[in-house]
Amino acid sequence: RAADARGRHADACRLYALSGDDARVLEVLVDRLAAVAGATPDDARDFWLRTAEDFADRRLGPGSKALQSLRADDGEALGSAFECLLNVSAFFDAARAGDAPAALRS
């Protein structure tokens, strides 16, 4: 929590992940994705999108422990916000690339 409070979000994310606190990881990722989803692509945006996609691939698959924990703790809104922000990011990426059909599918 101290790393997150100091603005060291990547460190906080790693520490929460190491301790198995997937809900806290999602909180940090949602916060960071909200900050960068519509931003012009840069290193920070790319980092947080890659980190979020990696977390989703590794920890949020069907029947995963993380999803079960979110459901048990009424954290489904957090999961929905995470998914929505990833979709919004994909929309902006496709729109910037001039790919309207892909933007509309995201």
PDB file of all heavy atoms in Angstrom, residues 65-102:
ATOM      1  N   LYS A  65      -9.187 -18.782  -9.976  1.00  0.00           N
ATOM      2  CA  LYS A  65      -9.293 -18.449  -8.552  1.00  0.00           C
ATOM      3  C   LYS A  65      -9.572 -16.956  -8.370  1.00  0.00           C
ATOM      4  O   LYS A  65     -10.351 -16.558  -7.512  1.00  0.00           O
ATOM      5  CB  LYS A  65      -8.005 -18.847  -7.850  1.00  0.00           C
ATOM      6  CG  LYS A  65      -7.977 -18.534  -6.385  1.00  0.00           C
ATOM      7  CD  LYS A  65      -6.634 -18.885  -5.793  1.00  0.00           C
ATOM      8  CE  LYS A  65      -6.459 -18.185  -4.467  1.00  0.00           C
ATOM      9  NZ  LYS A  65      -5.090 -18.201  -3.992  1.00  0.00           N
ATOM     10  N   ALA A  66      -8.930 -16.134  -9.200  1.00  0.00           N
ATOM     11  CA  ALA A  66      -9.118 -14.683  -9.086  1.00  0.00           C
ATOM     12  C   ALA A  66     -10.569 -14.300  -9.359  1.00  0.00           C
ATOM     13  O   ALA A  66     -11.149 -13.490  -8.631  1.00  0.00           O
ATOM     14  CB  ALA A  66      -8.189 -13.950 -10.044  1.00  0.00           C
ATOM     15  N   LEU A  67     -11.171 -14.877 -10.391  1.00  0.00           N
ATOM     16  CA  LEU A  67     -12.575 -14.564 -10.691  1.00  0.00           C
ATOM     17  C   LEU A  67     -13.500 -15.055  -9.584  1.00  0.00           C
ATOM     18  O   LEU A  67     -14.440 -14.359  -9.201  1.00  0.00           O
ATOM     19  CB  LEU A  67     -12.994 -15.184 -12.024  1.00  0.00           C
ATOM     20  CG  LEU A  67     -12.506 -14.479 -13.275  1.00  0.00           C
ATOM     21  CD1 LEU A  67     -12.976 -15.229 -14.521  1.00  0.00           C
ATOM     22  CD2 LEU A  67     -12.981 -13.050 -13.323  1.00  0.00           C
ATOM     23  N   GLN A  68     -13.230 -16.232  -9.073  1.00  0.00           N
ATOM     24  CA  GLN A  68     -14.043 -16.755  -7.973  1.00  0.00           C
ATOM     25  C   GLN A  68     -13.955 -15.848  -6.753  1.00  0.00           C
ATOM     26  O   GLN A  68     -14.957 -15.575  -6.094  1.00  0.00           O
ATOM     27  CB  GLN A  68     -13.604 -18.177  -7.627  1.00  0.00           C
ATOM     28  CG  GLN A  68     -13.904 -19.179  -8.709  1.00  0.00           C
ATOM     29  CD  GLN A  68     -13.264 -20.533  -8.442  1.00  0.00           C
ATOM     30  OE1 GLN A  68     -12.676 -20.761  -7.382  1.00  0.00           O
ATOM     31  NE2 GLN A  68     -13.364 -21.434  -9.405  1.00  0.00           N
ATOM     32  N   SER A  69     -12.755 -15.373  -6.478  1.00  0.00           N
ATOM     33  CA  SER A  69     -12.548 -14.476  -5.345  1.00  0.00           C
ATOM     34  C   SER A  69     -13.282 -13.148  -5.552  1.00  0.00           C
ATOM     35  O   SER A  69     -13.904 -12.628  -4.622  1.00  0.00           O
ATOM     36  CB  SER A  69     -11.052 -14.224  -5.157  1.00  0.00           C
ATOM     37  OG  SER A  69     -10.832 -13.292  -4.138  1.00  0.00           O
ATOM     38  N   LEU A  70     -13.231 -12.608  -6.760  1.00  0.00           N
ATOM     39  CA  LEU A  70     -13.937 -11.350  -7.042  1.00  0.00           C
ATOM     40  C   LEU A  70     -15.440 -11.519  -6.856  1.00  0.00           C
ATOM     41  O   LEU A  70     -16.105 -10.659  -6.292  1.00  0.00           O
ATOM     42  CB  LEU A  70     -13.642 -10.869  -8.457  1.00  0.00           C
ATOM     43  CG  LEU A  70     -12.271 -10.257  -8.680  1.00  0.00           C
ATOM     44  CD1 LEU A  70     -12.040 -10.027 -10.166  1.00  0.00           C
ATOM     45  CD2 LEU A  70     -12.115  -8.961  -7.906  1.00  0.00           C
ATOM     46  N   ARG A  71     -15.961 -12.636  -7.327  1.00  0.00           N
ATOM     47  CA  ARG A  71     -17.410 -12.885  -7.175  1.00  0.00           C
ATOM     48  C   ARG A  71     -17.785 -13.028  -5.710  1.00  0.00           C
ATOM     49  O   ARG A  71     -18.814 -12.518  -5.278  1.00  0.00           O
ATOM     50  CB  ARG A  71     -17.802 -14.133  -7.955  1.00  0.00           C
ATOM     51  CG  ARG A  71     -17.812 -13.912  -9.429  1.00  0.00           C
ATOM     52  CD  ARG A  71     -18.342 -15.114 -10.190  1.00  0.00           C
ATOM     53  NE  ARG A  71     -18.247 -14.863 -11.612  1.00  0.00           N
ATOM     54  CZ  ARG A  71     -17.460 -15.543 -12.432  1.00  0.00           C
ATOM     55  NH1 ARG A  71     -16.738 -16.554 -11.988  1.00  0.00           N
ATOM     56  NH2 ARG A  71     -17.413 -15.245 -13.710  1.00  0.00           N
ATOM     57  N   ALA A  72     -16.957 -13.725  -4.950  1.00  0.00           N
ATOM     58  CA  ALA A  72     -17.241 -13.943  -3.532  1.00  0.00           C
ATOM     59  C   ALA A  72     -17.171 -12.642  -2.738  1.00  0.00           C
ATOM     60  O   ALA A  72     -17.882 -12.488  -1.744  1.00  0.00           O
ATOM     61  CB  ALA A  72     -16.270 -14.964  -2.955  1.00  0.00           C
ATOM     62  N   ASP A  73     -16.335 -11.720  -3.154  1.00  0.00           N
ATOM     63  CA  ASP A  73     -16.131 -10.470  -2.425  1.00  0.00           C
ATOM     64  C   ASP A  73     -16.871  -9.291  -3.049  1.00  0.00           C
ATOM     65  O   ASP A  73     -16.525  -8.143  -2.803  1.00  0.00           O
ATOM     66  CB  ASP A  73     -14.642 -10.129  -2.356  1.00  0.00           C
ATOM     67  CG  ASP A  73     -13.854 -11.160  -1.572  1.00  0.00           C
ATOM     68  OD1 ASP A  73     -14.459 -11.847  -0.729  1.00  0.00           O
ATOM     69  OD2 ASP A  73     -12.642 -11.287  -1.812  1.00  0.00           O
ATOM     70  N   ASP A  74     -17.870  -9.558  -3.875  1.00  0.00           N
ATOM     71  CA  ASP A  74     -18.626  -8.498  -4.558  1.00  0.00           C
ATOM     72  C   ASP A  74     -17.719  -7.586  -5.365  1.00  0.00           C
ATOM     73  O   ASP A  74     -17.930  -6.378  -5.438  1.00  0.00           O
ATOM     74  CB  ASP A  74     -19.448  -7.666  -3.567  1.00  0.00           C
ATOM     75  CG  ASP A  74     -20.579  -8.476  -2.933  1.00  0.00           C
ATOM     76  OD1 ASP A  74     -21.137  -9.344  -3.641  1.00  0.00           O
ATOM     77  OD2 ASP A  74     -20.892  -8.245  -1.758  1.00  0.00           O
ATOM     78  N   GLY A  75     -16.701  -8.157  -5.989  1.00  0.00           N
ATOM     79  CA  GLY A  75     -15.762  -7.380  -6.787  1.00  0.00           C
ATOM     80  C   GLY A  75     -16.030  -7.445  -8.270  1.00  0.00           C
ATOM     81  O   GLY A  75     -15.163  -7.088  -9.068  1.00  0.00           O
ATOM     82  N   GLU A  76     -17.221  -7.905  -8.639  1.00  0.00           N
ATOM     83  CA  GLU A  76     -17.519  -8.026 -10.069  1.00  0.00           C
ATOM     84  C   GLU A  76     -17.509  -6.676 -10.777  1.00  0.00           C
ATOM     85  O   GLU A  76     -17.138  -6.594 -11.942  1.00  0.00           O
ATOM     86  CB  GLU A  76     -18.851  -8.749 -10.277  1.00  0.00           C
ATOM     87  CG  GLU A  76     -18.747 -10.229  -9.958  1.00  0.00           C
ATOM     88  CD  GLU A  76     -20.018 -10.981 -10.279  1.00  0.00           C
ATOM     89  OE1 GLU A  76     -20.454 -10.924 -11.436  1.00  0.00           O
ATOM     90  OE2 GLU A  76     -20.548 -11.619  -9.359  1.00  0.00           O
ATOM     91  N   ALA A  77     -17.887  -5.614 -10.101  1.00  0.00           N
ATOM     92  CA  ALA A  77     -17.871  -4.280 -10.715  1.00  0.00           C
ATOM     93  C   ALA A  77     -16.432  -3.892 -11.072  1.00  0.00           C
ATOM     94  O   ALA A  77     -16.187  -3.285 -12.118  1.00  0.00           O
ATOM     95  CB  ALA A  77     -18.482  -3.247  -9.786  1.00  0.00           C
ATOM     96  N   LEU A  78     -15.489  -4.264 -10.232  1.00  0.00           N
ATOM     97  CA  LEU A  78     -14.081  -3.990 -10.498  1.00  0.00           C
ATOM     98  C   LEU A  78     -13.634  -4.749 -11.745  1.00  0.00           C
ATOM     99  O   LEU A  78     -12.970  -4.192 -12.618  1.00  0.00           O
ATOM    100  CB  LEU A  78     -13.232  -4.391  -9.285  1.00  0.00           C
ATOM    101  CG  LEU A  78     -11.749  -4.112  -9.343  1.00  0.00           C
ATOM    102  CD1 LEU A  78     -11.485  -2.616  -9.481  1.00  0.00           C
ATOM    103  CD2 LEU A  78     -11.077  -4.664  -8.091  1.00  0.00           C
ATOM    104  N   GLY A  79     -14.015  -6.009 -11.840  1.00  0.00           N
ATOM    105  CA  GLY A  79     -13.697  -6.798 -13.028  1.00  0.00           C
ATOM    106  C   GLY A  79     -14.331  -6.230 -14.276  1.00  0.00           C
ATOM    107  O   GLY A  79     -13.720  -6.199 -15.351  1.00  0.00           O
ATOM    108  N   SER A  80     -15.560  -5.762 -14.157  1.00  0.00           N
ATOM    109  CA  SER A  80     -16.255  -5.157 -15.302  1.00  0.00           C
ATOM    110  C   SER A  80     -15.576  -3.860 -15.731  1.00  0.00           C
ATOM    111  O   SER A  80     -15.442  -3.595 -16.931  1.00  0.00           O
ATOM    112  CB  SER A  80     -17.722  -4.885 -14.952  1.00  0.00           C
ATOM    113  OG  SER A  80     -18.400  -6.095 -14.746  1.00  0.00           O
ATOM    114  N   ALA A  81     -15.150  -3.059 -14.774  1.00  0.00           N
ATOM    115  CA  ALA A  81     -14.445  -1.818 -15.099  1.00  0.00           C
ATOM    116  C   ALA A  81     -13.135  -2.124 -15.820  1.00  0.00           C
ATOM    117  O   ALA A  81     -12.785  -1.459 -16.799  1.00  0.00           O
ATOM    118  CB  ALA A  81     -14.172  -1.010 -13.833  1.00  0.00           C
ATOM    119  N   PHE A  82     -12.427  -3.144 -15.364  1.00  0.00           N
ATOM    120  CA  PHE A  82     -11.176  -3.567 -15.986  1.00  0.00           C
ATOM    121  C   PHE A  82     -11.419  -3.967 -17.442  1.00  0.00           C
ATOM    122  O   PHE A  82     -10.735  -3.492 -18.353  1.00  0.00           O
ATOM    123  CB  PHE A  82     -10.604  -4.733 -15.176  1.00  0.00           C
ATOM    124  CG  PHE A  82      -9.334  -5.308 -15.725  1.00  0.00           C
ATOM    125  CD1 PHE A  82      -8.135  -4.631 -15.606  1.00  0.00           C
ATOM    126  CD2 PHE A  82      -9.337  -6.551 -16.335  1.00  0.00           C
ATOM    127  CE1 PHE A  82      -6.955  -5.172 -16.095  1.00  0.00           C
ATOM    128  CE2 PHE A  82      -8.166  -7.102 -16.829  1.00  0.00           C
ATOM    129  CZ  PHE A  82      -6.975  -6.414 -16.706  1.00  0.00           C
ATOM    130  N   GLU A  83     -12.418  -4.809 -17.655  1.00  0.00           N
ATOM    131  CA  GLU A  83     -12.734  -5.258 -19.014  1.00  0.00           C
ATOM    132  C   GLU A  83     -13.155  -4.087 -19.906  1.00  0.00           C
ATOM    133  O   GLU A  83     -12.726  -3.977 -21.055  1.00  0.00           O
ATOM    134  CB  GLU A  83     -13.844  -6.304 -18.962  1.00  0.00           C
ATOM    135  CG  GLU A  83     -14.192  -6.879 -20.307  1.00  0.00           C
ATOM    136  CD  GLU A  83     -15.260  -7.948 -20.223  1.00  0.00           C
ATOM    137  OE1 GLU A  83     -15.912  -8.107 -19.171  1.00  0.00           O
ATOM    138  OE2 GLU A  83     -15.456  -8.639 -21.240  1.00  0.00           O
ATOM    139  N   CYS A  84     -13.965  -3.201 -19.376  1.00  0.00           N
ATOM    140  CA  CYS A  84     -14.423  -2.034 -20.131  1.00  0.00           C
ATOM    141  C   CYS A  84     -13.253  -1.143 -20.537  1.00  0.00           C
ATOM    142  O   CYS A  84     -13.175  -0.686 -21.685  1.00  0.00           O
ATOM    143  CB  CYS A  84     -15.429  -1.252 -19.298  1.00  0.00           C
ATOM    144  SG  CYS A  84     -16.091   0.198 -20.134  1.00  0.00           S
ATOM    145  N   LEU A  85     -12.325  -0.913 -19.630  1.00  0.00           N
ATOM    146  CA  LEU A  85     -11.177  -0.055 -19.938  1.00  0.00           C
ATOM    147  C   LEU A  85     -10.265  -0.687 -20.981  1.00  0.00           C
ATOM    148  O   LEU A  85      -9.715   0.015 -21.838  1.00  0.00           O
ATOM    149  CB  LEU A  85     -10.412   0.289 -18.670  1.00  0.00           C
ATOM    150  CG  LEU A  85     -11.120   1.298 -17.768  1.00  0.00           C
ATOM    151  CD1 LEU A  85     -10.512   1.302 -16.379  1.00  0.00           C
ATOM    152  CD2 LEU A  85     -11.084   2.683 -18.387  1.00  0.00           C
ATOM    153  N   LEU A  86     -10.111  -2.003 -20.946  1.00  0.00           N
ATOM    154  CA  LEU A  86      -9.344  -2.675 -21.998  1.00  0.00           C
ATOM    155  C   LEU A  86     -10.033  -2.512 -23.350  1.00  0.00           C
ATOM    156  O   LEU A  86      -9.383  -2.260 -24.369  1.00  0.00           O
ATOM    157  CB  LEU A  86      -9.145  -4.151 -21.671  1.00  0.00           C
ATOM    158  CG  LEU A  86      -8.105  -4.479 -20.614  1.00  0.00           C
ATOM    159  CD1 LEU A  86      -8.091  -5.979 -20.328  1.00  0.00           C
ATOM    160  CD2 LEU A  86      -6.725  -4.019 -21.037  1.00  0.00           C
ATOM    161  N   ASN A  87     -11.363  -2.633 -23.359  1.00  0.00           N
ATOM    162  CA  ASN A  87     -12.116  -2.457 -24.604  1.00  0.00           C
ATOM    163  C   ASN A  87     -12.037  -1.021 -25.119  1.00  0.00           C
ATOM    164  O   ASN A  87     -11.891  -0.794 -26.326  1.00  0.00           O
ATOM    165  CB  ASN A  87     -13.577  -2.870 -24.414  1.00  0.00           C
ATOM    166  CG  ASN A  87     -13.749  -4.357 -24.254  1.00  0.00           C
ATOM    167  OD1 ASN A  87     -12.886  -5.144 -24.662  1.00  0.00           O
ATOM    168  ND2 ASN A  87     -14.835  -4.762 -23.642  1.00  0.00           N
ATOM    169  N   VAL A  88     -12.115  -0.060 -24.225  1.00  0.00           N
ATOM    170  CA  VAL A  88     -12.005   1.348 -24.620  1.00  0.00           C
ATOM    171  C   VAL A  88     -10.625   1.615 -25.217  1.00  0.00           C
ATOM    172  O   VAL A  88     -10.490   2.308 -26.233  1.00  0.00           O
ATOM    173  CB  VAL A  88     -12.293   2.285 -23.423  1.00  0.00           C
ATOM    174  CG1 VAL A  88     -11.862   3.710 -23.705  1.00  0.00           C
ATOM    175  CG2 VAL A  88     -13.771   2.235 -23.074  1.00  0.00           C
ATOM    176  N   SER A  89      -9.595   1.036 -24.615  1.00  0.00           N
ATOM    177  CA  SER A  89      -8.237   1.193 -25.143  1.00  0.00           C
ATOM    178  C   SER A  89      -8.131   0.612 -26.547  1.00  0.00           C
ATOM    179  O   SER A  89      -7.525   1.226 -27.438  1.00  0.00           O
ATOM    180  CB  SER A  89      -7.227   0.514 -24.213  1.00  0.00           C
ATOM    181  OG  SER A  89      -7.253   1.105 -22.945  1.00  0.00           O
ATOM    182  N   ALA A  90      -8.716  -0.570 -26.744  1.00  0.00           N
ATOM    183  CA  ALA A  90      -8.699  -1.202 -28.071  1.00  0.00           C
ATOM    184  C   ALA A  90      -9.457  -0.338 -29.078  1.00  0.00           C
ATOM    185  O   ALA A  90      -9.035  -0.201 -30.234  1.00  0.00           O
ATOM    186  CB  ALA A  90      -9.298  -2.598 -28.001  1.00  0.00           C
ATOM    187  N   PHE A  91     -10.564   0.267 -28.645  1.00  0.00           N
ATOM    188  CA  PHE A  91     -11.336   1.143 -29.518  1.00  0.00           C
ATOM    189  C   PHE A  91     -10.478   2.328 -29.984  1.00  0.00           C
ATOM    190  O   PHE A  91     -10.398   2.630 -31.168  1.00  0.00           O
ATOM    191  CB  PHE A  91     -12.580   1.661 -28.801  1.00  0.00           C
ATOM    192  CG  PHE A  91     -13.284   2.759 -29.541  1.00  0.00           C
ATOM    193  CD1 PHE A  91     -14.162   2.469 -30.572  1.00  0.00           C
ATOM    194  CD2 PHE A  91     -13.047   4.091 -29.223  1.00  0.00           C
ATOM    195  CE1 PHE A  91     -14.799   3.487 -31.272  1.00  0.00           C
ATOM    196  CE2 PHE A  91     -13.676   5.109 -29.923  1.00  0.00           C
ATOM    197  CZ  PHE A  91     -14.556   4.807 -30.952  1.00  0.00           C
ATOM    198  N   PHE A  92      -9.822   2.998 -29.043  1.00  0.00           N
ATOM    199  CA  PHE A  92      -8.991   4.149 -29.408  1.00  0.00           C
ATOM    200  C   PHE A  92      -7.832   3.754 -30.308  1.00  0.00           C
ATOM    201  O   PHE A  92      -7.488   4.474 -31.239  1.00  0.00           O
ATOM    202  CB  PHE A  92      -8.484   4.880 -28.161  1.00  0.00           C
ATOM    203  CG  PHE A  92      -9.515   5.783 -27.533  1.00  0.00           C
ATOM    204  CD1 PHE A  92      -9.985   5.531 -26.255  1.00  0.00           C
ATOM    205  CD2 PHE A  92     -10.015   6.874 -28.215  1.00  0.00           C
ATOM    206  CE1 PHE A  92     -10.941   6.350 -25.677  1.00  0.00           C
ATOM    207  CE2 PHE A  92     -10.964   7.710 -27.650  1.00  0.00           C
ATOM    208  CZ  PHE A  92     -11.429   7.437 -26.377  1.00  0.00           C
ATOM    209  N   ASP A  93      -7.218   2.610 -30.032  1.00  0.00           N
ATOM    210  CA  ASP A  93      -6.116   2.144 -30.888  1.00  0.00           C
ATOM    211  C   ASP A  93      -6.596   1.917 -32.319  1.00  0.00           C
ATOM    212  O   ASP A  93      -5.949   2.348 -33.274  1.00  0.00           O
ATOM    213  CB  ASP A  93      -5.493   0.864 -30.334  1.00  0.00           C
ATOM    214  CG  ASP A  93      -4.689   1.103 -29.072  1.00  0.00           C
ATOM    215  OD1 ASP A  93      -4.354   2.276 -28.779  1.00  0.00           O
ATOM    216  OD2 ASP A  93      -4.390   0.113 -28.381  1.00  0.00           O
ATOM    217  N   ALA A  94      -7.724   1.246 -32.458  1.00  0.00           N
ATOM    218  CA  ALA A  94      -8.262   0.976 -33.798  1.00  0.00           C
ATOM    219  C   ALA A  94      -8.700   2.263 -34.481  1.00  0.00           C
ATOM    220  O   ALA A  94      -8.465   2.457 -35.680  1.00  0.00           O
ATOM    221  CB  ALA A  94      -9.427  -0.009 -33.710  1.00  0.00           C
ATOM    222  N   ALA A  95      -9.321   3.165 -33.738  1.00  0.00           N
ATOM    223  CA  ALA A  95      -9.768   4.436 -34.315  1.00  0.00           C
ATOM    224  C   ALA A  95      -8.575   5.264 -34.788  1.00  0.00           C
ATOM    225  O   ALA A  95      -8.614   5.855 -35.874  1.00  0.00           O
ATOM    226  CB  ALA A  95     -10.588   5.222 -33.294  1.00  0.00           C
ATOM    227  N   ARG A  96      -7.505   5.293 -34.000  1.00  0.00           N
ATOM    228  CA  ARG A  96      -6.296   6.025 -34.402  1.00  0.00           C
ATOM    229  C   ARG A  96      -5.677   5.433 -35.664  1.00  0.00           C
ATOM    230  O   ARG A  96      -5.090   6.140 -36.467  1.00  0.00           O
ATOM    231  CB  ARG A  96      -5.260   6.011 -33.288  1.00  0.00           C
ATOM    232  CG  ARG A  96      -5.490   7.034 -32.236  1.00  0.00           C
ATOM    233  CD  ARG A  96      -4.303   7.124 -31.286  1.00  0.00           C
ATOM    234  NE  ARG A  96      -4.723   7.767 -30.064  1.00  0.00           N
ATOM    235  CZ  ARG A  96      -5.125   7.142 -28.961  1.00  0.00           C
ATOM    236  NH1 ARG A  96      -5.123   5.841 -28.903  1.00  0.00           N
ATOM    237  NH2 ARG A  96      -5.515   7.832 -27.911  1.00  0.00           N
ATOM    238  N   ALA A  97      -5.820   4.111 -35.820  1.00  0.00           N
ATOM    239  CA  ALA A  97      -5.264   3.421 -36.986  1.00  0.00           C
ATOM    240  C   ALA A  97      -6.177   3.553 -38.206  1.00  0.00           C
ATOM    241  O   ALA A  97      -5.842   3.081 -39.285  1.00  0.00           O
ATOM    242  CB  ALA A  97      -5.030   1.951 -36.670  1.00  0.00           C
ATOM    243  N   GLY A  98      -7.331   4.189 -38.027  1.00  0.00           N
ATOM    244  CA  GLY A  98      -8.269   4.375 -39.129  1.00  0.00           C
ATOM    245  C   GLY A  98      -9.070   3.131 -39.460  1.00  0.00           C
ATOM    246  O   GLY A  98      -9.635   3.018 -40.545  1.00  0.00           O
ATOM    247  N   ASP A  99      -9.132   2.191 -38.534  1.00  0.00           N
ATOM    248  CA  ASP A  99      -9.849   0.931 -38.749  1.00  0.00           C
ATOM    249  C   ASP A  99     -11.204   0.997 -38.043  1.00  0.00           C
ATOM    250  O   ASP A  99     -11.389   0.459 -36.954  1.00  0.00           O
ATOM    251  CB  ASP A  99      -9.014  -0.241 -38.234  1.00  0.00           C
ATOM    252  CG  ASP A  99      -9.566  -1.592 -38.621  1.00  0.00           C
ATOM    253  OD1 ASP A  99     -10.684  -1.656 -39.169  1.00  0.00           O
ATOM    254  OD2 ASP A  99      -8.858  -2.594 -38.381  1.00  0.00           O
ATOM    255  N   ALA A 100     -12.160   1.653 -38.690  1.00  0.00           N
ATOM    256  CA  ALA A 100     -13.484   1.852 -38.074  1.00  0.00           C
ATOM    257  C   ALA A 100     -14.166   0.523 -37.741  1.00  0.00           C
ATOM    258  O   ALA A 100     -14.749   0.409 -36.651  1.00  0.00           O
ATOM    259  CB  ALA A 100     -14.359   2.698 -38.991  1.00  0.00           C
ATOM    260  N   PRO A 101     -14.156  -0.496 -38.616  1.00  0.00           N
ATOM    261  CA  PRO A 101     -14.808  -1.752 -38.246  1.00  0.00           C
ATOM    262  C   PRO A 101     -14.222  -2.376 -36.972  1.00  0.00           C
ATOM    263  O   PRO A 101     -14.959  -2.855 -36.114  1.00  0.00           O
ATOM    264  CB  PRO A 101     -14.592  -2.662 -39.456  1.00  0.00           C
ATOM    265  CG  PRO A 101     -14.433  -1.711 -40.607  1.00  0.00           C
ATOM    266  CD  PRO A 101     -13.716  -0.518 -40.012  1.00  0.00           C
ATOM    267  N   ALA A 102     -12.891  -2.357 -36.849  1.00  0.00           N
ATOM    268  CA  ALA A 102     -12.268  -2.912 -35.642  1.00  0.00           C
ATOM    269  C   ALA A 102     -12.615  -2.067 -34.423  1.00  0.00           C
ATOM    270  O   ALA A 102     -12.830  -2.606 -33.324  1.00  0.00           O
ATOM    271  CB  ALA A 102     -10.754  -3.002 -35.817  1.00  0.00           C
TER     272      ALA A 102
END
